[in-house]
Amino acid sequence: VVKKSNADVLRTIDQVKETVAQFQKKAGDALRVDYIDDFSVGTRSILKIVIANALLGMILVVATLLVFLNFRTAFWTAMGIPLALCLALFVMVLSDLSLNGNSLLGMVIVLGMLVDDAIVVAESIYRYRLEGLSAYEAAKKGLKVVVAPVFVTVTTTIIAFAPLFFLPGIPGKFVLPIPLVITYALLASLFEAYFILPNHLTGHTLQKATPDASEKLADRKWFKNLQAGYLRLLNLALHHRVILIGIFIALFVGSLFYAAVKMKFVLFPQTTIETSTWYLEAQRDTSLEKMDGLTRQLEAILARQPQNAILSYSTRIGRGRWDMPENENVATLVVNYPPAAEQKYDPGKIVAELEKILNHMPEMQEWRHEVARGGPPVGGDVEIDFIGNDNQRRSELVKKVAQFLRGLEGVTDVESSEKAGKPEMALEFDFRRLARYGLNAADVGLAVRTALEGTIVSRTYTPEERIDYRVLLQKKDRESLDTIKRLYVYNAQRVLVPITHVVRFKERTTMVKIEHLNGDRFTKITANLDKKKITPLEAVGRLNAYLPGIMREYPGFRFQLGGEAKESQAFFTEVAVAFVIAVLAIYFILSLLFNSFLQPFIVMITIPFGIVGVIWTFAIHGLEFSFLTLIGIVGLSGIVVNDSLIMVDYINRLVREKGCRNFQDYLDAAMQGAKTRLRPIILTTLTTAAGVMPTAYGLGGYIESLAPMVLAIGWGITFASTLTLFLVPGLYVLEVQFEMLLTRLIPALPLKTQCAMPLSLLENNARPLVRKRKQHK
């Protein structure tokens, strides 16, 4: 049963089962129904796990807000999550986007980010309330201060995911729902933060000049102590800012070197076995009946497995791989296991048992085992097409390349599509003798076809059907070559001519299939990879180094790569281009916000350190980089700049409001800006990480294929934001020193800010860095 593309898989299968149950009830014990491939089982499991993890993530986000904010502020901030998700679902319906594993993954990723803009707005309003402003004035001023940076933070995040809309090929279509859902949800959260949240925060306290006890609750002593400790560390870091930045650069370079040497990239890593397919090929003279007996030995092993270890298994005799024709000596065995989250028995043990018995079957000439992978279909691990019309030379080339692949560690199941079929008897005409006896090829062909296949000589019609009467030899005679050689053929003079007088019999072996590509003959080589030993990208590298040399020996031939190896190479390139485009777009947006060409670099320095966090997270967890990992890194580039953007924007505001002439004033502004933005940076980081961590670690159920992406985002933002608290102020101070140096060298080049009022903003036991201030003209 195949559903329509726009049909709901769960509802469709439920209706199918209801209909089948009605027929089964009528048939009684005479009919048993087995569901061989029930896609709703895996879909329900994924939906259940993703929703459970999303709910856990939302609980963690709300709990984080309650720790840092008072109950009222935390409650209305958290309410932005369901509102934004509901608006996103509404837009998904309008855009005909289905609710599936990828769209739900997009919701999980964006879950913690939905409150980032609301946190910045709420914290800004709350801070002005603590300063004594009325609720209305605090909301008005607090929103005005952050309206531009909040808009830019949402914009940069959307821009970071936007290149994913344009990824080509099957992986691009596969990942499309993720950026769509994230974009819808972020725009909805921005609307809520601007137009709904301020009203809730000022509702019952509109006329109060000072905050009440519940509003003061979040300004706790432990957070003041945290601020004081942070300022002391920041003061020390700024005092040794050159050393600090040098350490960070060394960390970045060392991490990239480690990733290049030690870490591997696999487009779609091997996940837990849920479906395995066995392609079996016995000796060429094996009959259907004998092949049936061989496969029943495998089925006997599956039948002995514990209950619930296997959902179902099915065998097709005479049908091999989808790209090969039917044949009596081939079979396909498909075994379906429970969803990964529900497996109580290791499918690997069952696979090992089947491999053991196959290795001890002398009749089994060849077999191949494939496991369904996560992600879209991208072909085999390695596929190479060799194109050229010289059959003999092409066969030689294919054999040499296949031998090279078999010599590579980790390469298994090397096969060629140029397979020999069953032996056949070819009839070659002697046309001179045909003419001498008054015959032609059609006369001989008719005699042979009549003997073996039969010729319809008459028909009878009934009200229900047409009955054909066919004349042919008996079965025992049709199975003997001697019978064919004793045939006679009538010529035009009605004289019987022995077939051996005009035909030569020649036994030969044919090809199973003949393939063409744009009119030229080609042969395909396929291979599987043990990705713990060699990745598709490494295999492509080895082939690209080997094939040009061997192809020079065979002029007139060409080759093309396919399968996961080709998709990995193409996707890696496309993601790199997408990452560069996203970074450039973010830079130009920040340049407009800061009206500066240098300050965007201060903000964007967090992007490479977010990647450092991902590298060491995956190294510690023993994971390889994959398709979704790279998608997570591209999205991370837009998320990690948000905290540093908010900090730099606020420091610039302090510089404009208070003014500064000397280095110490800028230093004080950097310290005060970092102190003021400590709470929203911690909150946005923790809420973003808290939203994805349940999915990353499977607190509500583990999905191995989805974990890498959310793991990259969760730990990448945590690592980058931690560095933001120290690295960004240090770079800001260095930028000021650089501009002052330029002003000294080029007097006509003024500083961007000229004010006389010095700042005295170091508080909470933070010692001033420069005791004697030097005035600069």
Side-chain angles (χ1 to χ4, degrees):
V1 178
V2 181
K3 75 176 185 65
K4 295 181 179 178
S5 60
N6 60 348
D8 182 279
V9 63
L10 301 182
R11 295 192 185 98
T12 302
I13 290 181
D14 287 342
Q15 292 172 6
V16 168
K17 289 184 176 180
E18 289 177 6
T19 304
V20 171
Q22 295 174 5
F23 283 94
Q24 190 173 10
K25 185 176 181 181
K26 293 178 182 178
D29 297 336
L31 178 68
R32 189 184 90 246
V33 176
D34 291 332
Y35 290 90
I36 303 301
D37 296 311
D38 186 352
F39 282 93
S40 66
V41 174
T43 303
R44 290 182 200 277
S45 177
I46 291 176
L47 291 177
K48 179 181 176 182
I49 292 172
V50 172
I51 291 173
N53 285 319
L55 290 175
L56 285 174
M58 184 173 176
I59 292 172
L60 290 176
V61 170
V62 175
T64 304
L65 292 173
L66 288 172
V67 171
F68 286 87
L69 302 173
N70 63 58
F71 178 80
R72 178 182 179 81
T73 306
F75 176 80
W76 288 116
T77 301
M79 282 302 100
I81 297 177
L83 177 62
L85 290 179
C86 288
L87 289 174
L89 287 169
F90 177 72
V91 179
M92 286 172 61
V93 173
L94 297 180
S95 59
D96 199 26
L97 183 64
S98 64
L99 195 65
N100 54 43
N102 282 346
S103 57
L104 284 175
L105 177 60
M107 290 186 179
V108 170
I109 292 170
V110 81
L111 186 67
M113 292 185 278
L114 291 179
V115 293
D116 285 1
D117 46 8
I119 286 171
V120 175
V121 171
E123 196 276 338
S124 181
I125 294 173
Y126 178 74
R127 184 162 39 82
Y128 283 110
R129 284 291 288 148
L130 292 179
E131 292 178 4
L133 296 181
S134 66
Y136 175 77
E137 290 297 327
K140 183 178 178 181
K141 187 174 182 179
L143 182 59
K144 181 181 179 181
V145 168
V146 298
V147 64
V150 165
F151 177 78
V152 173
T153 58
V154 174
T155 304
T156 55
T157 305
I158 293 175
I159 287 175
F161 284 98
L164 304 184
F165 288 110
F166 308 106
L167 290 180
I170 296 175
K173 295 178 181 178
F174 175 75
V175 81
L176 182 62
I178 297 176
L180 277 174
V181 171
I182 290 174
T183 301
Y184 296 156
L186 286 177
L187 291 176
S189 72
L190 184 64
F191 172 81
E192 186 271 341
Y194 277 172
F195 300 105
I196 299 176
L197 179 64
N199 293 284
H200 287 307
L201 297 181
T202 59
H204 77 294
T205 59
L206 191 59
Q207 303 301 325
K208 293 182 180 180
T210 58
D212 55 26
S214 66
E215 289 178 295
K216 291 182 179 180
L217 184 62
D219 199 25
R220 296 163 180 157
K221 183 177 180 181
W222 69 266
F223 188 74
K224 289 184 177 180
N225 293 334
L226 179 63
Q227 279 183 321
Y230 165 62
L231 283 176
R232 285 192 292 270
L233 289 175
L234 179 60
N235 188 18
L236 180 65
L238 293 182
H239 183 68
H240 302 285
R241 53 190 174 276
V242 177
I243 297 176
L244 174 72
I245 295 171
I247 292 173
F248 285 158
I249 293 175
L251 175 64
F252 175 65
V253 174
S255 299
L256 289 184
F257 178 77
Y258 175 83
V261 174
K262 294 291 185 180
M263 303 196 74
K264 297 181 178 181
F265 175 79
V266 179
L267 193 61
F268 295 104
Q270 183 65 63
T271 59
T272 306
I273 301 176
E274 294 186 6
T275 300
S276 61
T277 305
W278 302 80
Y279 298 107
L280 313 172
E281 182 177 348
Q283 296 172 358
R284 285 185 295 177
D285 59 349
T286 304
S287 64
L288 279 174
E289 291 77 10
K290 188 173 182 180
M291 197 67 189
D292 179 46
L294 294 175
T295 55
R296 287 188 182 276
Q297 297 180 42
L298 303 177
E299 292 177 347
I301 293 177
L302 298 176
R304 293 198 303 265
Q305 299 303 319
Q307 189 177 6
N308 300 326
I310 296 175
L311 288 181
S312 63
Y313 57 90
S314 60
T315 309
R316 291 190 177 187
I317 314 296
R319 174 67 62 84
R321 291 174 53 182
W322 64 272
D323 57 343
M324 301 295 289
E326 296 180 355
N327 217 330
E328 293 180 351
N329 66 321
V330 297
T332 301
L333 171 63
V334 180
V335 185
N336 297 304
Y337 303 95
E342 302 174 12
Q343 289 180 0
K344 298 180 179 179
Y345 302 94
D346 182 11
K349 295 181 179 179
I350 301 175
V351 170
E353 284 190 58
L354 293 175
E355 289 179 345
K356 184 177 180 180
I357 191 172
L358 283 169
N359 288 329
H360 288 82
M361 279 186 180
E363 303 91 346
M364 200 62 66
Q365 181 175 332
E366 193 173 313
W367 57 270
R368 183 186 182 103
H369 176 227
E370 294 183 0
V371 177
R373 296 174 292 194
V378 291
D381 292 339
V382 176
E383 293 182 1
I384 319 170
D385 294 334
F386 291 95
I387 306 153
N389 291 319
D390 188 329
N391 296 338
Q392 183 177 355
R393 297 275 290 167
R394 191 181 64 254
S395 297
E396 294 175 4
L397 173 60
V398 167
K399 288 178 181 178
K400 289 183 179 180
V401 177
Q403 189 65 29
F404 169 77
L405 286 173
R406 292 188 182 98
L408 296 179
E409 184 181 10
V411 179
T412 60
D413 302 327
V414 179
E415 290 185 1
S416 166
S417 62
E418 199 173 71
K419 290 181 175 293
K422 290 191 173 183
E424 69 176 16
M425 187 62 65
L427 276 65
E428 296 182 352
F429 297 108
D430 186 332
F431 289 99
R432 290 185 179 182
R433 288 195 172 190
L434 282 175
R436 187 186 309 161
Y437 286 110
L439 294 171
N440 57 40
D443 296 331
V444 179
L446 177 62
V448 174
R449 186 177 71 237
T450 301
L452 298 180
E453 186 179 315
T455 299
I456 297 173
V457 296
S458 180
R459 292 187 176 97
T460 298
Y461 294 90
T462 69
E464 293 82 14
E465 61 180 336
R466 184 187 75 182
I467 301 174
D468 293 333
Y469 289 91
R470 186 182 300 269
V471 174
L472 72 165
L473 294 178
Q474 295 183 23
K475 183 178 180 180
K476 64 178 182 177
D477 294 324
R478 297 198 305 270
E479 293 176 350
S480 172
L481 180 60
D482 292 336
T483 303
I484 306 300
K485 291 181 177 181
R486 294 199 303 269
L487 288 178
Y488 287 79
V489 184
Y490 272 113
N491 63 8
Q493 291 75 32
R494 307 300 296 171
V495 175
L496 288 172
V497 179
I499 195 172
T500 53
H501 288 189
V502 294
V503 168
R504 292 187 298 270
F505 291 88
K506 186 175 182 180
E507 187 174 351
R508 67 187 184 188
T509 301
T510 61
M511 305 305 299
V512 172
K513 62 177 180 178
I514 297 175
E515 297 176 301
H516 292 88
L517 182 64
N518 296 329
D520 294 325
R521 290 279 297 270
F522 81 96
T523 302
K524 182 187 294 290
I525 291 181
T526 60
N528 287 334
L529 301 177
D530 183 349
K531 294 172 184 174
K532 295 180 180 179
K533 298 179 180 178
I534 185 171
T535 66
L537 278 180
E538 291 172 340
V540 167
R542 301 280 186 88
L543 286 169
N544 284 334
Y546 170 76
L547 288 175
I550 193 70
M551 294 301 293
R552 284 194 290 269
E553 301 176 14
Y554 294 87
F557 287 87
R558 63 187 189 276
F559 73 93
Q560 63 181 25
L561 291 172
E564 185 177 345
K566 178 187 175 183
E567 292 289 346
S568 297
Q569 191 177 39
F571 180 76
F572 200 82
T573 303
E574 293 294 338
V575 168
V577 173
F579 181 78
V580 172
I581 293 174
V583 170
L584 289 175
I586 291 171
Y587 173 80
F588 288 120
I589 293 292
L590 295 177
S591 299
L592 294 175
L593 174 67
F594 296 136
N595 193 26
S596 168
F597 290 110
L598 288 178
Q599 286 195 348
F601 289 110
I602 299 176
V603 172
M604 296 174 65
I605 198 67
T606 54
I607 294 177
F609 289 105
I611 298 174
V612 170
V614 176
I615 291 173
W616 289 109
T617 298
F618 276 59
I620 293 171
H621 289 77
L623 300 174
E624 61 267 314
F625 276 30
S626 66
F627 169 82
L628 289 178
T629 305
L630 295 186
I631 298 301
I633 290 176
V634 173
L636 183 66
S637 64
I639 302 171
V640 297
V641 301
N642 294 343
D643 291 335
S644 54
L645 185 157
I646 295 293
M647 179 183 288
V648 172
D649 178 77
Y650 189 73
I651 295 174
N652 286 339
R653 183 174 294 275
L654 286 177
V655 169
R656 289 193 300 268
E657 291 178 353
K658 302 298 183 180
C660 54
R661 285 182 180 273
N662 54 47
F663 176 72
Q664 181 64 40
D665 294 340
Y666 280 102
L667 177 67
D668 290 348
M671 294 282 289
Q672 180 63 21
K675 172 196 170 186
T676 304
R677 287 305 177 195
L678 179 63
R679 191 201 314 262
I681 287 176
I682 293 177
L683 265 177
T684 54
T685 301
L686 291 181
T687 52
T688 301
V692 299
M693 285 306 181
T695 303
Y697 290 102
L699 301 182
Y702 191 65
I703 304 178
E704 190 175 359
S705 60
L706 304 184
M709 183 176 185
V710 290
L711 197 66
I713 291 176
W715 283 111
I717 184 67
T718 302
F719 188 82
S721 297
T722 303
L723 297 183
T724 296
L725 295 173
F726 299 95
L727 186 61
V728 170
L731 289 173
Y732 190 93
V733 171
L734 279 181
E735 187 223 356
V736 170
Q737 287 183 307
F738 178 71
E739 289 193 358
M740 287 182 173
L741 177 62
L742 287 180
T743 304
R744 285 182 177 181
L745 296 176
I746 310 174
L749 182 66
L751 285 173
K752 60 178 179 291
T753 305
Q754 296 285 339
C755 295
M757 182 183 296
L759 296 179
S760 180
L761 298 173
L762 292 175
E763 300 178 89
N764 298 324
N765 300 321
R767 297 173 59 189
L769 181 62
V770 180
R771 298 182 182 276
K772 295 180 180 181
R773 302 179 180 179
K774 296 180 181 180
Q775 298 295 331
H776 299 284
K777 294 182 180 181

